Amino acid sequence: MGQAVQTAKEVHAHLCELLDWQFAERDDQAVAHALHRGQGVDAVYGLDEAGLLDGFLAFVTASGIKAHWQTLTIAGVRHLFVPVIMFVLLYGTRVLFGIASSNALPALRFSNVAVMALLGFNAHQVADGMSRRGAKPRTAASEYTLMDPQTLRNAICKISATALEDLFNGTIRALAAFGVFMAEVMVAVDDTRSVTPPTFQGGGQQAVTEYPYDRHGAQVAIPQLLYGWRLIALIDLRTLIPLAIKSVPIQAHEAPYLVALVQQAQANLAPHSRISRLVVDRADVDGPSLHALHAMGITFVVIAKSNMVVRDAALVEQAGTPIYERTETVRRGQGREAYTETWVSRVRVVQDLRQWDNFRPPVEAGQPLKWAQRPVLHTGVVNQWRNRAADPDSGRVYGTNAPITDPWPVVDSYADRSWIENGLFRNSKQFWGLPRWFPQKTEAGVQSHLTFVVMMLAVAAAYRLWAKAQSGVLAAAPDYQIAQGVHKIIDAQTGAVSRVPEPKPVRRTHLATRFAAEAAAPPATPTAPAWSHEQLEGQGPLRWRRHLQCENRDKVIVFVGHQYGIFYASELLILSGVPVRELPPHLGSRDDILRRYGCLSET
């Protein structure tokens, strides 16, 4: 077929009109037909990082997140030469790709025409910049493309604190409406420090003491003064998506923010989901706050502090109560070196404790609650944990406001809480640049960066789960470590043993013993598999990016007007009419390729 010829002037004019601030739309078949007809294309680029944004931007649009991001306004900027959403996308992709420095954006992002075209820019803007003023500071040593990175930094840091909160909360509301979360959500709350140099404006300071070991093996105390902020996050333990966040000075205690954080998360989920179970650390053990959650109908699990009277009461009153024993058979090693290990854990249950004075509704001064009016706490006392016996006076005591019929979901809840560190804070620090890479050395710079990092992590996690669901290949919850579990109930007086049947497989990621067997009630009708971080099979952000790069290294992205297609390089040649003598086996024959894109008549 003859190839349509465009002059350089026509191509330049068409590229200047391309996309018009809209996301490009993927339509492989339409672009393939254009190639097969010999129609001129606007641009062809190697896929590289654009392969990640291809599906990501489709998810952002389909989930309603794009529509919400378009409502953002930056009141601190009088004149903007691009829509505000473009600043959100540019800074968001910086976080998504883990670009450490804003000054590296021209070389690593602004000059990537394929990525910029997906975001809504065109090749002329990428090559010549957005304005004449932006072209003035260009030199041979510093050639700004698209825009000066300082422009992006200034715009992001001028977003007000209220607007940042609305940006994050609206994103979570869009995910909830899209069906990402289960109807009943189990969450955990924790915090992490974001330490900055003392030169940052508006930060707090906290005195801490570290206890490292010297070269002689002796532990020494070293007092330090830390500067910065503290990020408090509430995370859905099934998807590992943060539902609400709060940034406070580094010296602030997180307990006073617990109720407001839960209320915000509950508002973000409503009316599609609701928080029904909460796990908190010792730092959040605050009686009035937990009673407020109790009044909201939320079941909480806490670990009692060593100085609490209710903990001492549980240790005393456990004598004579039945012993709940769990035996877990654990696989260790690989291949010929594989072996099994047996863990035995024992827990006792003490119910109806009223010794926690602060766990109560507000009362008037001088009118304390009577004993019978006090809310009750139910506890699980760990006597032995995985073959290690607890000291009589130092055993762990887990408390909950719900009656305990089986102590293992209560004990397992606290183990599930570790996912907030492993799934949120560790990833965000190591890959997403949570405690560094701030756009400015100010409070606004830190607040905006923390919000964008957690928001992009949430959207990326939801996108990956959505992509798994779209593929139709869903992984079973892992059972690679705990191969078998046996439950017993032992009468402390007679030693009589009764067994409790255990559903198989017993999974390592128990999610509070699978959310107490999904509230002990199977659904009346079959439901779709739940979106869960287990579907990612332990693949973190870095491995995910590496997998995408490997998957897309032989592909190209072709733009035709507002549409684009993604093809293997050999497919592009076949569709364009170029003979290819040796095709990769997985692509099939020439006719297979043409038939796949509807370019071959079946007659």
Side-chain angles (χ1 to χ4, degrees):
M1 294 185 177
Q3 300 290 324
V5 178
Q6 286 182 309
T7 66
K9 184 176 181 180
E10 289 173 335
V11 173
H12 183 273
H14 190 74
L15 286 175
C16 288
E17 298 171 359
L18 181 64
L19 299 179
D20 190 27
W21 305 118
Q22 299 177 14
F23 294 163
E25 297 179 357
R26 181 172 179 177
D27 192 333
D28 290 353
Q29 194 168 52
V31 176
H33 278 273
L35 289 168
H36 193 58
R37 292 194 305 267
Q39 177 181 337
V41 301
D42 295 306
V44 180
Y45 306 104
L47 194 58
D48 54 65
E49 292 167 328
L52 187 154
L53 286 184
D54 164 47
F56 181 82
L57 293 178
F59 172 74
V60 167
T61 302
S63 62
I65 293 174
K66 174 189 172 183
H68 169 65
W69 286 354
Q70 288 175 322
T71 64
L72 175 68
T73 58
I74 305 179
V77 180
R78 296 183 60 183
H79 301 290
L80 288 173
F81 55 90
V82 296
V84 174
I85 188 175
M86 305 312 296
F87 290 103
V88 176
L89 292 171
L90 289 173
Y91 199 84
T93 54
R94 175 207 168 179
V95 172
L96 188 66
F97 288 99
I99 299 176
S101 170
S102 295
N103 291 328
L105 285 172
L108 297 181
R109 181 60 61 246
F110 293 166
S111 58
N112 190 323
V113 184
V115 171
M116 292 298 100
L118 284 174
L119 295 183
F121 297 94
N122 58 54
H124 172 72
Q125 293 162 341
V126 173
D128 297 336
M130 299 296 301
S131 64
R132 293 180 181 177
R133 184 177 65 180
K136 287 182 180 180
R138 297 185 188 184
T139 65
S142 178
E143 184 179 357
Y144 292 126
T145 50
L146 192 70
M147 69 174 67
D148 184 343
Q150 185 65 35
T151 303
L152 176 61
R153 290 197 295 261
N154 289 341
I156 292 299
C157 294
K158 288 182 179 180
I159 303 175
S160 67
T162 301
L164 283 172
E165 291 179 3
D166 292 342
L167 182 68
F168 178 84
N169 292 328
T171 300
I172 303 303
R173 286 194 292 270
L175 293 178
F178 195 62
V180 173
F181 308 107
M182 297 289 287
E184 300 288 328
V185 177
M186 176 178 172
V187 301
V189 177
D190 206 351
D191 70 283
T192 189
R193 296 171 181 156
S194 184
V195 180
T196 64
T199 53
F200 276 50
Q201 303 172 12
Q205 59 183 20
Q206 181 184 28
V208 299
T209 303
E210 295 187 352
Y211 297 91
Y213 290 90
D214 62 17
R215 62 180 181 177
H216 303 294
Q219 198 172 30
V220 295
I222 301 180
Q224 288 188 344
L225 194 60
L226 301 180
Y227 299 88
W229 285 262
R230 183 184 300 274
L231 178 67
I232 311 171
L234 184 146
I235 188 172
D236 169 31
L237 288 174
R238 192 182 292 267
T239 61
L240 301 187
I241 293 176
L243 304 178
I245 57 174
K246 181 69 176 179
S247 180
V248 297
I250 195 170
Q251 74 275 13
H253 198 276
E254 56 266 35
Y257 302 96
L258 176 62
V259 175
L261 206 65
V262 173
Q263 289 174 336
Q264 182 61 67
Q266 206 75 289
N268 292 344
L269 294 173
H272 314 283
S273 306
R274 65 175 295 272
I275 297 171
S276 60
R277 192 178 184 90
L278 170 72
V279 188
V280 294
D281 197 7
R282 287 185 177 92
D284 293 293
V285 176
D286 176 69
S289 297
L290 291 175
H291 187 272
L293 299 179
H294 172 73
M296 293 165 57
I298 296 175
T299 299
F300 63 78
V301 175
V302 299
I303 184 168
K305 297 180 180 180
S306 59
N307 60 351
M308 294 177 66
V309 176
V310 69
R311 178 183 178 276
D312 296 334
L315 292 173
V316 171
E317 296 186 22
Q318 68 172 321
T321 59
I323 301 171
Y324 292 80
E325 182 180 276
R326 180 169 68 183
T327 303
E328 298 166 297
T329 303
V330 188
R331 291 193 296 269
R332 297 292 196 187
Q334 298 290 334
R336 295 181 179 180
E337 304 296 326
Y339 65 96
T340 60
E341 182 179 352
T342 301
W343 289 341
V344 179
S345 303
R346 290 187 168 190
V347 178
R348 293 189 178 194
V349 175
V350 181
Q351 311 247 32
D352 300 330
L353 296 175
R354 303 175 188 268
Q355 284 86 348
W356 192 1
D357 292 341
N358 286 333
F359 181 54
R360 56 172 174 74
V363 296
E364 297 182 9
Q367 297 183 3
L369 290 178
K370 296 180 180 179
W371 183 265
Q373 296 175 323
R374 289 187 177 185
V376 297
L377 194 72
H378 313 284
T379 59
V381 183
V382 178
N383 296 151
Q384 179 176 307
W385 182 250
R386 294 180 174 174
N387 301 338
R388 299 185 63 178
D391 294 335
D393 298 327
S394 62
R396 285 196 167 192
V397 176
Y398 298 94
T400 179
N401 58 330
I404 299 177
T405 56
D406 180 1
W408 298 112
V410 176
V411 176
D412 290 341
S413 293
Y414 202 77
D416 287 323
R417 194 192 64 84
S418 65
W419 280 108
I420 193 171
E421 176 62 36
N422 297 328
L424 175 61
F425 295 139
R426 184 170 299 174
N427 279 337
S428 62
K429 290 176 181 178
Q430 293 179 352
F431 180 76
W432 304 83
L434 180 72
R436 55 194 188 280
W437 308 350
F438 302 111
Q440 290 182 358
K441 298 179 180 180
T442 62
E443 182 177 7
V446 174
Q447 300 283 9
S448 60
H449 182 71
L450 294 180
T451 301
F452 267 85
V453 168
V454 181
M455 182 180 72
M456 294 305 294
L457 187 149
V459 178
Y463 160 64
R464 295 175 66 191
L465 294 173
W466 173 75
K468 279 285 187 179
Q470 293 292 103
S471 69
V473 180
L474 297 177
D479 61 347
Y480 51 84
Q481 185 181 29
I482 299 177
Q484 184 180 10
V486 177
H487 286 191
K488 300 178 182 178
I489 300 178
I490 304 173
D491 189 294
Q493 305 298 328
T494 64
V497 176
S498 60
R499 287 179 178 267
V500 178
E502 178 69 13
K504 294 184 179 181
V506 181
R507 300 172 176 106
R508 180 187 183 193
T509 49
H510 31 64
L511 190 67
T513 319
R514 311 311 300 170
F515 217 146
E518 303 297 346
T525 57
T527 58
W531 287 15
S532 170
H533 69 88
E534 295 164 346
Q535 302 300 324
L536 305 180
E537 301 179 89
Q539 187 186 61
L542 190 58
R543 286 176 56 201
W544 171 49
R545 276 198 60 199
R546 191 181 300 131
H547 170 76
L548 287 174
Q549 289 172 346
C550 180
E551 188 179 62
N552 296 319
R553 62 189 174 191
D554 297 327
K555 295 180 180 179
V556 293
I557 182 169
V558 182
F559 289 90
V560 178
H562 289 274
Q563 297 174 324
Y564 69 93
I566 294 177
F567 310 97
Y568 285 95
S570 298
E571 289 181 321
L572 174 64
L573 293 173
I574 294 295
L575 291 168
S576 302
V578 178
V580 180
R581 294 186 180 89
E582 294 185 7
L583 289 169
H586 64 277
L587 296 181
S589 66
R590 172 185 178 278
D591 288 351
D592 291 333
I593 294 173
L594 295 176
R595 188 178 295 108
R596 184 157 52 244
Y597 294 105
C599 297
L600 185 66
S601 175
E602 298 294 338
T603 56

